Amino acid sequence: MGWGNRRIHEAAAVCAAQFPAIGLIWWIRDQLGDDYENAGATGALAVFGLLCPLVVAPLVLPVLGLLHAAVQVLPAQVLAHRAARRARGPVWAWHLALTTVLGVAWAALALLLWDWPFTTTAPLLAALGVLPVLGLGWLRRRTGGLRAVWLPALFASVGLFLLVLLGGVLAPVTGIVDEYEPPALSAGQLTGVWRDEKGAVLRLGTDGRAELTDLPTEAEPGSVDPYAESPFDVCDGTGTWLLDGKGGHDPYANGPEGRPGVVVRPAGGCGQETYWRIGGTESEPELFVPFGDPDAPDLRILKQAP
């Protein structure tokens, strides 16, 4: 079966229709997750960050839809027709199964090339093919020009977007989704190597000793401009650390208790005691500090090395 002009438009349209809702799901997930105690972010900025992609969506979505169709949905359709002729069975069922297989194959390639987590990427890429396959089955029964292809996709895209938006608003209100709570980590769970994307390394030993490599730390009062590009000292060497489960050392807390974290005290005269708050999740914990200007901090995040 060849890829006719109409079939290519249909595949691109149904693939593009789901991307606004997927983007909204991703955005809602970030909003419901750790906000790092509103580190420089406000509600207005968050909404602005959502609206910006919607402005350029009419230009970007058709391209994304065509790309997705070309690498997953349309090849699976060709294979589905061949499989149905040889092994029998409905074409749509073969199409759905083979689209899922191709999604898993692309996830395996992403694991090899970019080290993307397979257990997360494979279900996501496999699921991306479900709605396009079902949408193609519905469009196949319609007649007309390209308007009859893209207009239903547009209405479906808006409907999906509004449905996800309603769910995102109602989920926290109804208690379906709990408010974010930082993970309760023990000293043993914190022990190990922590790194950030800029090369900083913090090694927390079982004996309360710490090793620092290019690690940002609180600077001596008055020694660094808090509004500078790097409002902290960068330290190498050793030090000590301790777990503060109640946040009593948290300098950002409004009361006697703050967010649980790790107190790191560098030795050798470089930097000051620095309070790394605990964030992330139980499976993917983080340590973070918002340095500098509270309204626009330099947020540094350490993630535990496997």
Side-chain angles (χ1 to χ4, degrees), residues 214-292:
D214 292 333
L215 187 73
T217 61
E218 299 285 0
E220 288 274 3
S223 64
V224 174
D225 182 357
Y227 300 97
E229 183 176 352
S230 299
F232 46 75
D233 283 336
V234 178
C235 296
D236 294 291
T238 60
T240 60
W241 73 278
L242 61 89
L243 168 62
D244 183 355
K246 295 185 177 180
H249 291 78
D250 189 350
Y252 317 102
N254 295 323
E257 294 186 359
R259 183 163 175 161
V262 174
V263 181
V264 177
R265 298 188 176 103
C270 178
Q272 298 293 298
E273 175 180 295
T274 305
Y275 190 78
W276 290 87
R277 291 171 166 182
I278 295 175
T281 63
E282 290 280 352
S283 59
E284 297 182 3
E286 298 174 347
L287 300 176
F288 70 93
V289 179
F291 290 102

Side-chain angles (χ1 to χ4, degrees), residues 184-192 194 204-206 241-243 262 304:
L185 303 179
S186 66
Q189 291 173 300
L190 289 165
T191 300
W194 300 78
L204 302 179
T206 56
W241 73 278
L242 61 89
L243 168 62
V262 174
Q304 195 168 33

Side-chain angles (χ1 to χ4, degrees), residues 134-145:
L134 299 178
L136 280 175
W138 182 80
L139 284 176
R140 189 180 297 113
R141 298 190 295 270
R142 295 180 62 86
T143 59

Side-chain angles (χ1 to χ4, degrees), residues 87-245:
R88 299 187 181 278
V91 174
W92 70 266
W94 279 107
H95 192 185
L96 193 60
L98 290 170
T99 300
T100 302
V101 171
L102 277 180
V104 174
W106 280 114
L109 183 61
L111 173 65
L112 293 175
L113 295 180
W114 304 295
D115 199 28
W116 290 8
F118 182 80
T119 54
T120 301
T121 310
L124 175 61
L125 295 184
L128 282 178
V130 174
L131 287 180
V133 170
L134 299 178
L136 280 175
W138 182 80
L139 284 176
R140 189 180 297 113
R141 298 190 295 270
R142 295 180 62 86
T143 59
L146 295 182
R147 181 179 298 180
V149 172
W150 285 97
L151 275 181
L154 173 61
F155 293 143
S157 181
V158 173
L160 281 173
F161 185 88
L162 294 178
L163 185 63
V164 172
L165 182 61
L166 179 63
V169 172
L170 293 179
V173 176
T174 58
I176 296 175
V177 176
D178 295 329
E179 292 187 7
Y180 173 80
E181 290 289 342
L185 303 179
S186 66
Q189 291 173 300
L190 289 165
T191 300
V193 179
W194 300 78
R195 305 176 185 272
D196 76 356
E197 296 179 347
K198 299 183 179 180
V201 180
L202 174 62
R203 291 178 174 85
L204 302 179
T206 56
D207 55 357
R209 295 182 180 274
E211 297 181 15
L212 292 58
T213 303
D214 292 333
L215 187 73
T217 61
E218 299 285 0
E220 288 274 3
S223 64
V224 174
D225 182 357
Y227 300 97
E229 183 176 352
S230 299
F232 46 75
D233 283 336
V234 178
C235 296
D236 294 291
T238 60
T240 60
W241 73 278
L242 61 89
L243 168 62
D244 183 355

Side-chain angles (χ1 to χ4, degrees), residues 30 33-41 180 259 277-280 286-290 297 299-301 303:
D30 288 342
D34 194 349
D35 65 353
Y36 303 105
E37 301 295 325
N38 299 310
Y180 173 80
R259 183 163 175 161
R277 291 171 166 182
I278 295 175
E286 298 174 347
L287 300 176
F288 70 93
V289 179
L299 184 66
R300 300 299 296 266
I301 302 173
K303 297 189 177 183

